[in-house]
Amino acid sequence: EVHALPKAKRQEVDMRIRQYKEDVARMRQEIRTAKLAATKACESSTRADLLGFDSEGGETDKGLEDRANMLEATQRLEKSTERIHESRRVAAETESIGAALLEDLDNQRQTMSRTRDNLLGMDGTLNRGRGYLDSMTRRNFMNRMVLNGLGACVLIGCIVVVLMKFQSA
């Protein structure tokens, strides 16, 4: 999922994930250390020593220190878990935004495809119309030429008739 994110967002998420992994590794090491210490304590001391109580029933400094360390480790583990959940939420949100963006891009692609098809259809129609106009212009020109020729013939005929009348008179 991280690889599909934009580069800037991917670096941020990678950094968070790396930090969470480091926190988890550190906490696991602390747990191993605590388990090892507990195992050694079992081997070398009584139940009271293990629980951090002295022979009089009061807590020892080591017991208090161990408890404080465990509480601190537990708090760090909870914070890391919250960060991981937040990272997952951000990744899911980013994924949904990406899906919506892809859907929008697909809709735009379809719109552009339909527009291109319509323009190709209009181009064909315009070419046909241009052909009709060219044909009409040629016919108009030919009709004018024929009309001018007929007009010239009539004019010449009238002039010939008028001249013949003056010559006979």
Side-chain angles (χ1 to χ4, degrees):
E1 295 176 353
V2 173
H3 296 294
L5 295 175
K7 188 173 184 177
K9 192 73 171 174
R10 185 180 340 138
Q11 289 175 347
E12 180 183 323
V13 172
D14 280 343
M15 185 177 68
R16 282 187 187 172
I17 290 173
R18 207 175 308 117
Q19 184 181 9
Y20 297 150
K21 286 181 180 179
E22 289 173 2
D23 288 347
V24 169
R26 188 177 64 249
M27 287 180 204
R28 283 183 180 160
Q29 182 62 35
E30 288 177 6
I31 290 172
R32 276 190 225 116
T33 305
K35 282 183 181 179
L36 184 62
T39 303
K40 287 182 182 179
C42 277
E43 292 173 357
S44 65
S45 67
T46 63
R47 183 172 188 271
D49 288 340
L50 180 62
L51 295 175
F53 293 104
D54 60 11
S55 60
E56 298 170 0
E59 286 193 66
T60 63
D61 289 340
K62 184 179 186 309
L64 291 173
E65 183 180 322
D66 287 344
R67 242 183 224 190
N69 287 341
M70 288 255 229
L71 283 172
E72 185 180 328
T74 303
Q75 289 173 348
R76 276 189 258 142
L77 184 62
E78 287 173 357
K79 286 180 183 178
S80 295
T81 303
E82 288 175 19
R83 288 185 202 153
I84 289 171
H85 288 300
E86 179 66 18
S87 293
R88 286 184 178 165
R89 185 191 65 75
V90 167
E93 182 180 324
T94 304
E95 183 180 349
S96 67
I97 290 170
L101 181 63
L102 286 175
E103 185 177 331
D104 287 346
L105 287 173
D106 185 51
N107 289 339
Q108 289 175 2
R109 182 190 59 78
Q110 290 174 359
T111 301
M112 291 173 74
S113 178
R114 284 192 306 269
T115 303
R116 186 194 67 219
D117 292 343
N118 288 342
L119 285 174
L120 289 175
M122 283 186 228
D123 187 42
T125 304
L126 286 173
N127 285 338
R128 220 177 354 201
R130 188 175 298 122
Y132 292 146
L133 285 174
D134 289 345
S135 174
M136 290 170 64
T137 303
R138 279 191 304 272
R139 285 184 189 159
N140 184 20
F141 180 73
M142 292 301 289
N143 286 342
R144 278 187 187 174
M145 294 305 281
V146 168
L147 186 60
N148 287 337
L150 286 174
C153 287
V154 168
L155 182 64
I156 291 172
C158 287
I159 291 174
V160 168
V161 168
V162 168
L163 286 177
M164 286 173 86
K165 237 183 179 185
F166 281 126
Q167 281 181 353
S168 62

